[in-house]
Amino acid sequence: PSPQDMERIQTQVAGPRVTGARALVADAGRVVPSRILVSTIYVNRGSIAQEAGDLKRAATLFDQAASLAKDPAIQSMLRDQRAALLSQLAGDDLESGAPARLRRALETLKAAREVGSKDRRVVYVVNQNLRATAERLLEQVKGQGERRVLGELNALSPLLADDKQPGFQAFAWSMVTGIRIDAGDSEGAVKASNRALGFVIPPSE
């Protein structure tokens, strides 16, 4: 392809840019045997089927990919790719902001984490997207009041990586602070604000 077409293709496959996350698609390609290329395609199609909720088809495609890639190193690479693609598919849902797609993003990211990738970049992006999705889900229920926000906080918090917990908790309690201010509960707002400020957020966040 021309340089212009190549840039367009790379932009498309890299997926949306979520704050703090990095693209997983390298600028350069890699030469692999046809058998590995076919297994990669099976993993891609299986990941798309999984995100769409067709779990039976997804399982079949993943089994086909595994049957072509017996080498443990190749299987590890395919797991990394599967987790990365699921994360990128979830990123598309996250960027849309549609309520139903946010819930789907959450389930897709949970599936991405369960793949068990060992690639640090993949794990980072999955965890970053999980936190971003959780925050969007909190924003979605903010208008339903403090109890609803805290209920969502309790449900979502266990899904996040340890290093994402302080930032997420601070975000949630800042939201509670705003809700209490709007309700005229100044004393409660101060308590919520102090709680938000009490979380030590890692420098990387």
Side-chain angles (χ1 to χ4, degrees):
S2 68
Q4 293 79 12
D5 285 344
M6 179 63 78
E7 183 178 357
R8 177 181 56 79
I9 292 168
Q10 289 177 346
T11 299
Q12 181 178 357
V13 299
R17 297 292 190 269
V18 177
T19 302
R22 293 178 294 174
L24 298 174
V25 179
D27 291 338
R30 178 179 175 185
V31 177
V32 296
S34 297
R35 179 172 52 85
I36 302 305
L37 179 60
V38 172
S39 64
T40 298
I41 293 170
Y42 278 133
V43 167
N44 286 351
R45 294 299 179 184
S47 299
I48 292 170
Q50 181 171 5
E51 191 221 17
D54 191 348
L55 301 183
K56 183 177 180 180
R57 176 173 173 75
T60 299
L61 289 165
F62 292 141
D63 287 344
Q64 289 174 317
S67 70
L68 291 170
K70 301 294 187 182
D71 184 87
I74 297 299
Q75 290 186 353
S76 177
M77 180 195 76
L78 292 175
R79 282 196 299 273
D80 293 341
Q81 181 192 357
R82 180 181 167 192
L85 180 57
L86 285 170
S87 181
Q88 289 173 349
L89 290 170
D92 288 338
D93 286 337
L94 176 60
E95 191 174 61
S96 77
R101 291 186 67 178
L102 284 177
R103 288 292 171 185
R104 187 172 72 170
L106 181 67
E107 295 305 314
T108 301
L109 287 165
K110 286 163 61 178
R113 188 175 58 187
E114 290 169 4
V115 169
S117 171
K118 302 300 182 184
D119 187 303
R120 289 184 178 181
R121 297 175 308 148
V122 174
V123 172
Y124 173 82
V125 173
V126 169
N127 287 334
Q128 190 73 6
N129 284 352
L130 259 173
R131 177 187 164 181
T133 302
E135 289 181 354
R136 297 281 179 83
L137 287 169
L138 282 186
E139 290 174 345
Q140 187 175 291
V141 301
K142 180 180 178 180
Q144 299 176 34
E146 177 181 335
R147 180 174 296 182
R148 184 74 174 88
V149 169
L150 292 178
E152 198 77 350
L153 169 64
N154 292 333
L156 295 170
S157 184
L159 303 178
L160 305 187
D162 290 344
D163 64 330
K164 304 299 178 188
Q165 290 287 346
F168 179 61
Q169 293 282 345
F171 175 85
W173 283 99
S174 294
M175 185 175 291
V176 171
T177 299
I179 292 173
R180 290 180 179 179
I181 289 174
D182 291 342
D185 182 5
S186 300
E187 184 177 346
V190 170
K191 290 181 179 178
S193 179
N194 287 337
R195 186 160 184 175
L197 293 170
F199 292 99
V200 180
I201 302 174
S204 60
E205 294 293 295

